Amino acid sequence: MTVAVIGGGITGLALAHRLRARGTSAVVLESTSRVGGNVQTHARAGYLLEAGPNSFLDREPTTRELAETLGVSSRIRPADAAAKNRFVFTRGALRALPASPPAFLKSDILPLASRLRVVGELFSRRNPTGSDESLAQLGRRHLGREATSVLLDAMQTGTYAGDPEQLSAEATFPQLVKFEREHRSLILGAIRAQRAARQAKAAGSVQAGPGLTGQMSTFDGGLGVLVDALAKALGDAVRTDAKVEGLERSAEGWKVRFQERGQPAELTASHVVLAVPAHVAAALLRPLDAELARQADSIPYAPIAVVHLGFAPGAVPKPDGFGFLVPAVEGKAMLGTIHVSTTFPFRVEGERVLLTCLMGGARRPDVVARDEDALAALAREELKTMAGIAATPELTEVIRWPRGIPQYTVGHLERLAAMDERLKRWPGLHLTGNAYRGVGVNDCIREATRLADALGGEAAGTVRSA
Ligand SMILES: Cc1cc2nc3c(=O)[nH]c(=O)nc-3n(C[C@H](O)[C@H](O)[C@H](O)COP(=O)(O)OP(=O)(O)OC[C@H]3O[C@@H](n4cnc5c(N)ncnc54)[C@H](O)[C@@H]3O)c2cc1C
């Protein structure tokens, strides 16, 4: 069996690595000159910059296992203790997110009436329709209007940069839907789940699982450490500057046509895995199966811009906490800011301060269309208004992702089921990556691992593809 993996992001690399570890021949075709996709780390003038993801929650066993296999697990670095504080910009000020229910009741994160409404969650109803609904609908039923537009909105912004009126509750926060189904109240569900996790831990049960939380972490050289280690382990099984342009069924399985350093090339494989963004998968699928292509193309993306602002030692005070999130009701272009030098102090030299501002998102696509200077100016202006940081940075870098984060809109899981059904017509063809079953780095690695294992054990059963 030979597997052609299209796309050398974290998904494609982790998949190929796992396949090869299982003795299956796999080759990765990556269109650009470098692997990693969204994961890109580079050092510049005393700062370690991430163009895409900054961290992962160290609770996913497959990510740990991958790091261990690659010999880089000792390089995992948890966030500094100072990063436990998080803030939300609401009602004109940065306010600390309370860490416990009693702290929430005493805090000023929401006005008193809205805090009391959250307590009323204990008496809330289940989804009367039983079918998928938007995150905002779920939130309003349980937490009330204001907690939804401030807290739930901030929570989803931190992962999806999305629009909670559009996002599917079930696909984006399955744990909340599970709590509702099993316990009616989200608060009761969370309390009982925490209690069960504590009991399982105390009993030393192997069933305890990874738990609900995990430590936010990166590697000592940024997330690029993982990508570099994968690229090294895969060696010449990764072909860069290899842009796939077409797929055809062949006697051996699949023929993949691509441009390699400007020259037409092709290879045959028994299986093809599309580990590319959904719109790229759609373009490759269209000549084969217009319906499957339409389904893939209906997964939208939120554009996002990353603005790094680096401040010389002493130019600004070291900000407290992990950073802050900005709910959409505030009407800002900024989604949030990560206090990188507080969270991961080793990512700056000396006493420099590095802030990474995230701008745009599903509700402000216009922002990401602006040029880099305008984006940097906007980030600085809003940082001044919201956090009082007015100093001139010594480093400014802007990265734009026109298709940043896939949006799992209402009906996403049904769409995946329909795609799975459709894929049955195409034996040996598989779809994976952040567009389907999780947008985080952990999700990508978990799904890649699952698919590799299913392919490796294919003779034993069916392979879930999308
Ligand atoms: C700004 C930003 C911040 C984020 N922050 C976090 C975070 O802090 N934590 C977290 O867990 N996640 C975060 N994420 C999400 C996470 O980074 C991504 O979901 C994940 O890296 C996606 O990996 P992937 O391999 O599925 O896709 P991609 O990274 O998109 O990789 C797909 C690859 O396919 C290649 N390709 C495209 N077309 C072709 C073609 N025709 N032929 C061959 N190759 C092709 C692309 O060049 C690319 O390398 C963030 C994402 C962004 C954009």
Side-chain angles (χ1 to χ4, degrees), residues 28 124 153 163 184 190 224 233 269 339 358 384 414 446:
V28 178
S124 52
D153 188 89
D163 177 354
R184 185 184 46 73
H339 300 156
L358 299 151
K384 188 172 160 190
E414 265 173 42
R446 186 194 61 239

Side-chain angles (χ1 to χ4, degrees), residues 7 9-11 29-31 37-38 52-55 244 280 433-434 439-441:
I10 190 70
T11 302
L29 301 174
E30 164 55 43
S31 58
N38 290 160
N54 273 263
S55 57
V244 174
V280 177
N434 66 353
V439 302
V441 169

Side-chain angles (χ1 to χ4, degrees), residues 84-86 95-107 109 194 213:
K84 70 177 191 313
N85 299 330
R86 287 154 182 256
R95 297 174 199 270
L97 264 177
S100 67
F104 170 77
L105 287 174
K106 279 190 246 146
S107 78
I109 193 84
Q194 270 170 1
T213 55

Side-chain angles (χ1 to χ4, degrees), residues 80-240:
D80 195 271
K84 70 177 191 313
N85 299 330
R86 287 154 182 256
F87 298 85
V88 174
F89 183 79
T90 176
R91 305 191 322 284
L94 287 179
R95 297 174 199 270
L97 264 177
S100 67
F104 170 77
L105 287 174
K106 279 190 246 146
S107 78
D108 63 355
I109 193 84
L110 295 175
L112 179 64
S114 306
R115 274 178 278 145
L116 293 175
R117 169 63 186 84
V118 172
V119 177
E121 199 283 329
L122 289 164
F123 307 100
S124 52
R125 295 175 296 125
R126 287 192 171 90
N127 176 357
T129 69
S131 49
D132 193 15
E133 62 180 341
S134 75
L135 190 57
Q137 282 172 311
L138 174 99
R140 283 192 288 266
R141 186 169 61 255
H142 284 277
L143 307 167
R145 251 171 212 287
E146 193 148 14
T148 298
S149 67
V150 176
L151 299 180
L152 198 61
D153 188 89
M155 179 168 99
Q156 71 77 24
T157 292
T159 306
Y160 295 97
D163 177 354
E165 302 291 346
Q166 306 294 326
L167 291 177
S168 149
E170 185 142 37
T172 55
F173 290 94
Q175 192 71 39
L176 295 184
V177 176
K178 188 167 177 277
F179 285 160
E180 185 190 72
R181 276 200 192 123
E182 292 175 5
H183 308 277
R184 185 184 46 73
S185 150
L186 307 183
I187 296 177
L188 281 179
I191 291 171
R192 288 175 187 155
Q194 270 170 1
R195 193 187 302 147
R198 267 198 306 273
Q199 282 167 354
K201 202 174 166 193
S205 161
V206 286
Q207 301 297 322
L212 292 174
T213 55
Q215 251 187 326
M216 188 190 304
S217 304
T218 183
F219 291 84
D220 56 2
L223 291 174
V225 166
L226 189 61
V227 164
D228 292 347
L230 277 164
K232 193 168 161 218
L234 286 164
D236 58 13
V238 179
R239 291 160 75 166
T240 50

Side-chain angles (χ1 to χ4, degrees), residues 63-84:
T63 304
R64 260 277 155 187
E65 196 185 329
L66 178 63
E68 268 155 28
T69 315
L70 292 165
V72 293
S73 59
S74 61
R75 300 182 64 184
I76 293 177
R77 295 285 178 273
D80 195 271
K84 70 177 191 313

Side-chain angles (χ1 to χ4, degrees), residues 347-370:
R347 283 189 43 200
V348 295
E349 279 173 23
E351 294 303 304
R352 290 175 170 78
V353 168
L354 174 60
L355 304 180
T356 295
C357 307
L358 299 151
M359 318 278 295
R363 285 169 292 190
R364 292 296 306 271
D366 56 298
V367 171
V368 184
R370 300 187 193 184

Side-chain angles (χ1 to χ4, degrees), residues 296-339:
D297 223 7
S298 66
I299 299 171
Y301 281 70
I304 192 160
V306 175
V307 180
H308 296 301
L309 300 172
F311 297 89
V316 294
K318 191 174 169 180
D320 180 31
F322 171 72
F324 63 89
L325 287 159
V326 189
V329 285
E330 295 296 329
K332 304 286 184 201
M334 192 184 286
L335 298 162
T337 289
I338 304 171
H339 300 156

